[in-house]
Amino acid sequence: MTVDESADRTPEVADEGFLQRWSRRKSEPGARAAPATAPLASVPEAEPPGDADMVPVESLTEESDYAPFLSPRVSAELQRLALRKLFSAPSFNRRDGLDDYDDDFTSFAKLGDVITADVRHRLELAAHRLAAAAQGEPAPAPPDDPPQVATAAATSSPADSQERTTG
C-alpha cells in the first residue's frame, strides 16, 4: 500500500466503492499530476520529393526503394509506372497452387453429337410414357424406377410389420 492509498483509508472513505473513489480522486486538483514533459524541438520538415527528384523508372530493380514514388507530390502517372515495375517482378508473380477458381470455366469442350447413356435411357422412358398415354392406357412404371413404399406396404402381411417393429 502506497502513501497515497493509506491517506484514502479514513473511515468515511473506506466505505466508498471503486467508482466513487476514482471519481473523487479524478476531481481533486493536482492529486496525480502528469509528469512534465519537455516540449519537442520542432524539426523543420523536408519537402517531399516530386517528379523531378525521382530516379528513372527503367533503372529500378526489385531491391530498389519504391517509397519515394508514393509521395503526394509525385504524379499519379509516375506512381503507376513505378508500381507496375515493382509488381512485374518475378517474386510477385509466383503461383502458390491455391488458386482453385482461376481457370476459365467459360470455355469447355462441347458434347456435340455425343448422347450419354443416361440421356438415351431417359428419352426411351419418355417415349414409352407418351405412347402409353396416346393409347389411353395408364403409363406403367418402368422397371428401372425405384419401388414405391406404398406398394411394398400393401403387399406385406400384418405379421411381417409386427416382426419389423419388434426386431
Side-chain angles (χ1 to χ4, degrees), residues 84-103:
R84 179 175 290 175
K85 176 80 173 181
L86 172 66
F87 290 119
S88 67
S91 62
F92 285 104
N93 294 320
R94 206 173 309 142
R95 297 191 55 128
D96 60 0
L98 299 175
D99 305 332
D100 292 338
Y101 301 107
D102 66 344
D103 291 333

PDB file of all heavy atoms in Angstrom, residues 84-103:
ATOM      1  N   ARG A  84       3.866  -0.536 -61.339  1.00  0.00           N
ATOM      2  CA  ARG A  84       3.793  -1.571 -62.375  1.00  0.00           C
ATOM      3  C   ARG A  84       5.145  -2.270 -62.495  1.00  0.00           C
ATOM      4  O   ARG A  84       5.224  -3.487 -62.624  1.00  0.00           O
ATOM      5  CB  ARG A  84       3.392  -0.969 -63.706  1.00  0.00           C
ATOM      6  CG  ARG A  84       3.343  -2.023 -64.810  1.00  0.00           C
ATOM      7  CD  ARG A  84       2.841  -1.449 -66.078  1.00  0.00           C
ATOM      8  NE  ARG A  84       1.425  -1.166 -65.916  1.00  0.00           N
ATOM      9  CZ  ARG A  84       0.691  -0.564 -66.840  1.00  0.00           C
ATOM     10  NH1 ARG A  84       1.241  -0.173 -67.961  1.00  0.00           N
ATOM     11  NH2 ARG A  84      -0.580  -0.335 -66.637  1.00  0.00           N
ATOM     12  N   LYS A  85       6.223  -1.497 -62.426  1.00  0.00           N
ATOM     13  CA  LYS A  85       7.568  -2.067 -62.490  1.00  0.00           C
ATOM     14  C   LYS A  85       7.822  -2.964 -61.276  1.00  0.00           C
ATOM     15  O   LYS A  85       8.381  -4.060 -61.407  1.00  0.00           O
ATOM     16  CB  LYS A  85       8.600  -0.928 -62.542  1.00  0.00           C
ATOM     17  CG  LYS A  85      10.025  -1.344 -62.517  1.00  0.00           C
ATOM     18  CD  LYS A  85      10.477  -1.787 -63.865  1.00  0.00           C
ATOM     19  CE  LYS A  85      11.974  -2.031 -63.832  1.00  0.00           C
ATOM     20  NZ  LYS A  85      12.496  -2.443 -65.085  1.00  0.00           N
ATOM     21  N   LEU A  86       7.376  -2.529 -60.102  1.00  0.00           N
ATOM     22  CA  LEU A  86       7.570  -3.318 -58.889  1.00  0.00           C
ATOM     23  C   LEU A  86       6.801  -4.640 -58.958  1.00  0.00           C
ATOM     24  O   LEU A  86       7.351  -5.709 -58.697  1.00  0.00           O
ATOM     25  CB  LEU A  86       7.107  -2.524 -57.658  1.00  0.00           C
ATOM     26  CG  LEU A  86       7.068  -3.283 -56.337  1.00  0.00           C
ATOM     27  CD1 LEU A  86       8.464  -3.675 -55.904  1.00  0.00           C
ATOM     28  CD2 LEU A  86       6.385  -2.448 -55.274  1.00  0.00           C
ATOM     29  N   PHE A  87       5.537  -4.595 -59.329  1.00  0.00           N
ATOM     30  CA  PHE A  87       4.712  -5.799 -59.297  1.00  0.00           C
ATOM     31  C   PHE A  87       4.908  -6.702 -60.509  1.00  0.00           C
ATOM     32  O   PHE A  87       4.353  -7.791 -60.558  1.00  0.00           O
ATOM     33  CB  PHE A  87       3.234  -5.429 -59.133  1.00  0.00           C
ATOM     34  CG  PHE A  87       2.939  -4.887 -57.761  1.00  0.00           C
ATOM     35  CD1 PHE A  87       2.459  -3.605 -57.601  1.00  0.00           C
ATOM     36  CD2 PHE A  87       3.154  -5.660 -56.640  1.00  0.00           C
ATOM     37  CE1 PHE A  87       2.194  -3.106 -56.344  1.00  0.00           C
ATOM     38  CE2 PHE A  87       2.900  -5.168 -55.380  1.00  0.00           C
ATOM     39  CZ  PHE A  87       2.415  -3.878 -55.223  1.00  0.00           C
ATOM     40  N   SER A  88       5.695  -6.276 -61.462  1.00  0.00           N
ATOM     41  CA  SER A  88       6.022  -7.168 -62.570  1.00  0.00           C
ATOM     42  C   SER A  88       7.245  -8.020 -62.243  1.00  0.00           C
ATOM     43  O   SER A  88       7.645  -8.859 -63.050  1.00  0.00           O
ATOM     44  CB  SER A  88       6.268  -6.364 -63.850  1.00  0.00           C
ATOM     45  OG  SER A  88       7.437  -5.576 -63.711  1.00  0.00           O
ATOM     46  N   ALA A  89       7.813  -7.827 -61.073  1.00  0.00           N
ATOM     47  CA  ALA A  89       8.974  -8.609 -60.648  1.00  0.00           C
ATOM     48  C   ALA A  89       8.558 -10.067 -60.441  1.00  0.00           C
ATOM     49  O   ALA A  89       7.421 -10.356 -60.069  1.00  0.00           O
ATOM     50  CB  ALA A  89       9.542  -8.030 -59.349  1.00  0.00           C
ATOM     51  N   PRO A  90       9.463 -11.009 -60.677  1.00  0.00           N
ATOM     52  CA  PRO A  90       9.124 -12.433 -60.541  1.00  0.00           C
ATOM     53  C   PRO A  90       8.676 -12.828 -59.142  1.00  0.00           C
ATOM     54  O   PRO A  90       7.898 -13.748 -58.980  1.00  0.00           O
ATOM     55  CB  PRO A  90      10.429 -13.153 -60.898  1.00  0.00           C
ATOM     56  CG  PRO A  90      11.240 -12.160 -61.638  1.00  0.00           C
ATOM     57  CD  PRO A  90      10.807 -10.808 -61.188  1.00  0.00           C
ATOM     58  N   SER A  91       9.133 -12.135 -58.114  1.00  0.00           N
ATOM     59  CA  SER A  91       8.734 -12.517 -56.751  1.00  0.00           C
ATOM     60  C   SER A  91       7.246 -12.262 -56.491  1.00  0.00           C
ATOM     61  O   SER A  91       6.649 -12.887 -55.620  1.00  0.00           O
ATOM     62  CB  SER A  91       9.570 -11.758 -55.722  1.00  0.00           C
ATOM     63  OG  SER A  91       9.350 -10.373 -55.860  1.00  0.00           O
ATOM     64  N   PHE A  92       6.639 -11.357 -57.244  1.00  0.00           N
ATOM     65  CA  PHE A  92       5.212 -11.102 -57.087  1.00  0.00           C
ATOM     66  C   PHE A  92       4.362 -11.967 -58.006  1.00  0.00           C
ATOM     67  O   PHE A  92       3.152 -11.992 -57.878  1.00  0.00           O
ATOM     68  CB  PHE A  92       4.882  -9.627 -57.355  1.00  0.00           C
ATOM     69  CG  PHE A  92       5.290  -8.729 -56.245  1.00  0.00           C
ATOM     70  CD1 PHE A  92       6.422  -7.941 -56.355  1.00  0.00           C
ATOM     71  CD2 PHE A  92       4.561  -8.662 -55.090  1.00  0.00           C
ATOM     72  CE1 PHE A  92       6.811  -7.114 -55.334  1.00  0.00           C
ATOM     73  CE2 PHE A  92       4.942  -7.838 -54.045  1.00  0.00           C
ATOM     74  CZ  PHE A  92       6.064  -7.058 -54.177  1.00  0.00           C
ATOM     75  N   ASN A  93       4.969 -12.652 -58.934  1.00  0.00           N
ATOM     76  CA  ASN A  93       4.220 -13.455 -59.901  1.00  0.00           C
ATOM     77  C   ASN A  93       4.379 -14.942 -59.657  1.00  0.00           C
ATOM     78  O   ASN A  93       4.253 -15.738 -60.567  1.00  0.00           O
ATOM     79  CB  ASN A  93       4.663 -13.103 -61.323  1.00  0.00           C
ATOM     80  CG  ASN A  93       4.283 -11.695 -61.669  1.00  0.00           C
ATOM     81  OD1 ASN A  93       3.200 -11.255 -61.305  1.00  0.00           O
ATOM     82  ND2 ASN A  93       5.154 -10.979 -62.338  1.00  0.00           N
ATOM     83  N   ARG A  94       4.652 -15.327 -58.452  1.00  0.00           N
ATOM     84  CA  ARG A  94       4.802 -16.723 -58.090  1.00  0.00           C
ATOM     85  C   ARG A  94       3.427 -17.295 -57.748  1.00  0.00           C
ATOM     86  O   ARG A  94       2.704 -16.731 -56.937  1.00  0.00           O
ATOM     87  CB  ARG A  94       5.719 -16.833 -56.872  1.00  0.00           C
ATOM     88  CG  ARG A  94       6.431 -18.134 -56.774  1.00  0.00           C
ATOM     89  CD  ARG A  94       7.456 -18.142 -55.654  1.00  0.00           C
ATOM     90  NE  ARG A  94       8.347 -16.995 -55.734  1.00  0.00           N
ATOM     91  CZ  ARG A  94       8.795 -16.344 -54.670  1.00  0.00           C
ATOM     92  NH1 ARG A  94       8.455 -16.711 -53.477  1.00  0.00           N
ATOM     93  NH2 ARG A  94       9.605 -15.317 -54.814  1.00  0.00           N
ATOM     94  N   ARG A  95       3.068 -18.400 -58.365  1.00  0.00           N
ATOM     95  CA  ARG A  95       1.781 -19.037 -58.084  1.00  0.00           C
ATOM     96  C   ARG A  95       1.928 -19.938 -56.869  1.00  0.00           C
ATOM     97  O   ARG A  95       2.910 -20.640 -56.737  1.00  0.00           O
ATOM     98  CB  ARG A  95       1.323 -19.820 -59.287  1.00  0.00           C
ATOM     99  CG  ARG A  95       1.091 -18.895 -60.470  1.00  0.00           C
ATOM    100  CD  ARG A  95       0.403 -19.580 -61.555  1.00  0.00           C
ATOM    101  NE  ARG A  95      -0.842 -20.159 -61.068  1.00  0.00           N
ATOM    102  CZ  ARG A  95      -1.997 -19.957 -61.643  1.00  0.00           C
ATOM    103  NH1 ARG A  95      -2.074 -19.197 -62.677  1.00  0.00           N
ATOM    104  NH2 ARG A  95      -3.067 -20.547 -61.189  1.00  0.00           N
ATOM    105  N   ASP A  96       0.935 -19.918 -56.028  1.00  0.00           N
ATOM    106  CA  ASP A  96       1.016 -20.718 -54.814  1.00  0.00           C
ATOM    107  C   ASP A  96       0.249 -22.032 -54.893  1.00  0.00           C
ATOM    108  O   ASP A  96       0.301 -22.830 -53.979  1.00  0.00           O
ATOM    109  CB  ASP A  96       0.526 -19.921 -53.614  1.00  0.00           C
ATOM    110  CG  ASP A  96      -0.912 -19.471 -53.755  1.00  0.00           C
ATOM    111  OD1 ASP A  96      -1.538 -19.767 -54.781  1.00  0.00           O
ATOM    112  OD2 ASP A  96      -1.413 -18.828 -52.823  1.00  0.00           O
ATOM    113  N   GLY A  97      -0.485 -22.280 -55.958  1.00  0.00           N
ATOM    114  CA  GLY A  97      -1.206 -23.529 -56.101  1.00  0.00           C
ATOM    115  C   GLY A  97      -2.547 -23.551 -55.407  1.00  0.00           C
ATOM    116  O   GLY A  97      -3.252 -24.548 -55.449  1.00  0.00           O
ATOM    117  N   LEU A  98      -2.909 -22.471 -54.741  1.00  0.00           N
ATOM    118  CA  LEU A  98      -4.191 -22.418 -54.044  1.00  0.00           C
ATOM    119  C   LEU A  98      -5.259 -21.716 -54.872  1.00  0.00           C
ATOM    120  O   LEU A  98      -6.343 -21.454 -54.376  1.00  0.00           O
ATOM    121  CB  LEU A  98      -4.023 -21.704 -52.703  1.00  0.00           C
ATOM    122  CG  LEU A  98      -3.056 -22.378 -51.738  1.00  0.00           C
ATOM    123  CD1 LEU A  98      -2.880 -21.530 -50.494  1.00  0.00           C
ATOM    124  CD2 LEU A  98      -3.538 -23.752 -51.364  1.00  0.00           C
ATOM    125  N   ASP A  99      -4.959 -21.428 -56.117  1.00  0.00           N
ATOM    126  CA  ASP A  99      -5.898 -20.729 -56.982  1.00  0.00           C
ATOM    127  C   ASP A  99      -6.837 -21.745 -57.629  1.00  0.00           C
ATOM    128  O   ASP A  99      -6.654 -22.131 -58.773  1.00  0.00           O
ATOM    129  CB  ASP A  99      -5.148 -19.930 -58.054  1.00  0.00           C
ATOM    130  CG  ASP A  99      -4.144 -18.986 -57.438  1.00  0.00           C
ATOM    131  OD1 ASP A  99      -4.367 -18.562 -56.307  1.00  0.00           O
ATOM    132  OD2 ASP A  99      -3.144 -18.687 -58.098  1.00  0.00           O
ATOM    133  N   ASP A 100      -7.829 -22.178 -56.885  1.00  0.00           N
ATOM    134  CA  ASP A 100      -8.732 -23.211 -57.391  1.00  0.00           C
ATOM    135  C   ASP A 100      -9.707 -22.686 -58.431  1.00  0.00           C
ATOM    136  O   ASP A 100     -10.139 -23.420 -59.306  1.00  0.00           O
ATOM    137  CB  ASP A 100      -9.540 -23.819 -56.238  1.00  0.00           C
ATOM    138  CG  ASP A 100      -8.663 -24.620 -55.307  1.00  0.00           C
ATOM    139  OD1 ASP A 100      -7.592 -25.044 -55.750  1.00  0.00           O
ATOM    140  OD2 ASP A 100      -9.068 -24.824 -54.153  1.00  0.00           O
ATOM    141  N   TYR A 101     -10.080 -21.450 -58.321  1.00  0.00           N
ATOM    142  CA  TYR A 101     -11.147 -20.934 -59.160  1.00  0.00           C
ATOM    143  C   TYR A 101     -10.649 -19.922 -60.196  1.00  0.00           C
ATOM    144  O   TYR A 101     -11.397 -19.070 -60.632  1.00  0.00           O
ATOM    145  CB  TYR A 101     -12.227 -20.293 -58.290  1.00  0.00           C
ATOM    146  CG  TYR A 101     -12.803 -21.278 -57.323  1.00  0.00           C
ATOM    147  CD1 TYR A 101     -12.501 -21.225 -55.974  1.00  0.00           C
ATOM    148  CD2 TYR A 101     -13.631 -22.288 -57.777  1.00  0.00           C
ATOM    149  CE1 TYR A 101     -13.025 -22.150 -55.095  1.00  0.00           C
ATOM    150  CE2 TYR A 101     -14.160 -23.212 -56.908  1.00  0.00           C
ATOM    151  CZ  TYR A 101     -13.856 -23.140 -55.568  1.00  0.00           C
ATOM    152  OH  TYR A 101     -14.373 -24.056 -54.717  1.00  0.00           O
ATOM    153  N   ASP A 102      -9.394 -19.985 -60.569  1.00  0.00           N
ATOM    154  CA  ASP A 102      -8.892 -19.015 -61.522  1.00  0.00           C
ATOM    155  C   ASP A 102      -8.855 -19.553 -62.947  1.00  0.00           C
ATOM    156  O   ASP A 102      -8.404 -18.865 -63.842  1.00  0.00           O
ATOM    157  CB  ASP A 102      -7.501 -18.523 -61.119  1.00  0.00           C
ATOM    158  CG  ASP A 102      -6.452 -19.620 -61.181  1.00  0.00           C
ATOM    159  OD1 ASP A 102      -6.841 -20.796 -61.230  1.00  0.00           O
ATOM    160  OD2 ASP A 102      -5.263 -19.296 -61.177  1.00  0.00           O
ATOM    161  N   ASP A 103      -9.321 -20.761 -63.161  1.00  0.00           N
ATOM    162  CA  ASP A 103      -9.388 -21.300 -64.522  1.00  0.00           C
ATOM    163  C   ASP A 103     -10.525 -20.636 -65.284  1.00  0.00           C
ATOM    164  O   ASP A 103     -11.457 -20.086 -64.702  1.00  0.00           O
ATOM    165  CB  ASP A 103      -9.612 -22.812 -64.492  1.00  0.00           C
ATOM    166  CG  ASP A 103      -8.397 -23.548 -63.978  1.00  0.00           C
ATOM    167  OD1 ASP A 103      -7.281 -23.022 -64.134  1.00  0.00           O
ATOM    168  OD2 ASP A 103      -8.565 -24.646 -63.421  1.00  0.00           O
TER     169      ASP A 103
END
